[in-house]
Amino acid sequence: MYLLINIIGLIVFLAIGVLFSKDRKHIHWKAVGIMIVLNLLLAWFLTSSPAGRAGVKAAADGFTWIVAVSAKGTVFALGKWYDPKNLNFICSALMPILMIVPLFDILTYIGFLPWIIKWIGRGLSFITGQPKFESFFAVEMMFLGNTEVLAVSGMQLRKMTKERDLTLAMMSMSCVTASILGSYIQMMPARFILTAVPINIVNSLIATSLLNPVTVTPEEDTIEKVGNQGDSGKKEPFFSFLGDSILGAGRLILIIIANVVAFVALAALIDKILGLFWKPLSLESILGVVMFPFSWLLGLPVHQAWFLSQQMGMKLVTNEFVVMGAVSGKIASMSPHLVAVLTTFVTSFANFGTLGMIIGAFKGLVGKEHNDYISKNVGYLLLSGILVSLLSAAFVGIFVW
């Protein structure tokens, strides 16, 4: 019964994309169908096939090893503050960023990561029939992050139509940066974290294909050169580049700490204020009501669907770190299906804070007309991010019980 509800939920989520489409007549149904089949195969392969599960385990072990190595620097700097038996949020989830982000930046500097991104993007475009740059952008976001990719894609964004720029803004709500996965797997099951990443990529293309179908001519279907060279055409000296990368990682940690502390405190304040009117009333309960129907459609008993819907709402208002930190100690007592859909749903940057970041990034990259068009469609950005997370949870949930 619950499997049937999960399948119906997947269909409903796709139908929501069609219902709110800006141009239903021009939805490329063949491409959407191919991407749905591709994600079903990916979800089955990564969660159910021996080879897929072995690959995910190997990737998880690799990230765990990197995190363990990064702890050497943390121990050196923090000494007795670092307690392996009782790690706090900063030591377990954030300090590894100081090594992992520079590592990915080094792979970018030597050209290896751009090469991987280029060929995966081209392959994805060939399979799905989506425009080259949109496919390239989806893959690049996974490795480099949404605002970072937007920053290096300014030339491309300014040459594209405002409708295609809106597509990229919508896709930016759904990414998860690979350099931060090491932090995630310290709090949630690595198996589903790493499964969600490629599925999110394809779902971002599905969601935007449904919500904002855009016809791209062969002449428009090009990719501007993206690289890390400066205006002089010369590559920045390695150690200068590495220093900037490390400082950038440090700023990222401070931003995450500030956001987590502020959002948790503000959420607690809102709960206290709501409690003055009615004691059981809280932010979680209000948002839980809004998200409950979608949570139930993921194939869960009512009490589990209620719990999941509260986490969904909190994640959208705060961020994924807040939810992961809140539920990490409860994972062992949850059913496999609940763990799968919860972990998959929260593995994205889709929240109100990301919405502000994306709009801010576009303000400095495109002209006023394009920026105003994106700002007028903020609802589509948020809907796209939520829809991708729901679709990913539904795809993975079908194969995990």
Side-chain angles (χ1 to χ4, degrees), residues 259-271:
N259 276 276
V260 169
V261 170
F263 277 125
V264 170
L266 286 171
L269 175 62
I270 293 171
D271 286 348

Side-chain angles (χ1 to χ4, degrees), residues 141-187:
M141 273 196 312
M142 179 183 72
F143 289 100
L144 303 179
N146 49 9
T147 54
E148 292 84 354
V149 174
L150 289 172
V152 299
S153 303
M155 183 183 299
Q156 180 87 33
L157 297 176
R158 287 186 288 272
K159 289 189 175 183
M160 291 165 60
T161 64
K162 62 184 180 182
E163 290 79 13
R164 289 184 73 188
D165 278 348
L166 176 60
T167 290
L168 299 181
M170 292 164 64
M171 291 172 66
S172 298
M173 290 292 295
S174 309
C175 78
V176 173
T177 309
S179 59
I180 213 167
L181 292 180
S183 302
Y184 288 169
I185 66 175
Q186 300 304 300
M187 296 181 284

Side-chain angles (χ1 to χ4, degrees), residues 25 35 38 83 101 105 156 174 177 184 199-200 261 265 287 291 316 369:
K25 292 181 180 179
M35 289 187 285
L38 175 60
D83 182 3
V101 169
D105 284 345
Q156 180 87 33
S174 309
T177 309
Y184 288 169
I199 290 177
N200 278 348
V261 170
L287 294 171
M291 295 302 297
L316 296 173
E369 181 187 356

Side-chain angles (χ1 to χ4, degrees), residues 325-377:
V327 304
S328 59
K330 306 174 184 177
I331 290 292
S333 63
M334 297 181 189
S335 68
H337 185 69
L338 175 58
V339 172
V341 296
L342 170 60
T343 305
T344 306
F345 183 89
V346 300
T347 306
S348 84
F349 290 164
N351 56 57
F352 290 110
T354 299
L355 195 63
M357 289 170 59
I358 294 169
I359 293 173
F362 269 93
K363 279 185 179 294
L365 293 171
V366 298
K368 187 177 187 303
E369 181 187 356
H370 287 219
N371 185 66
D372 288 348
Y373 183 75
I374 292 169
S375 298
K376 288 177 182 176
N377 286 278

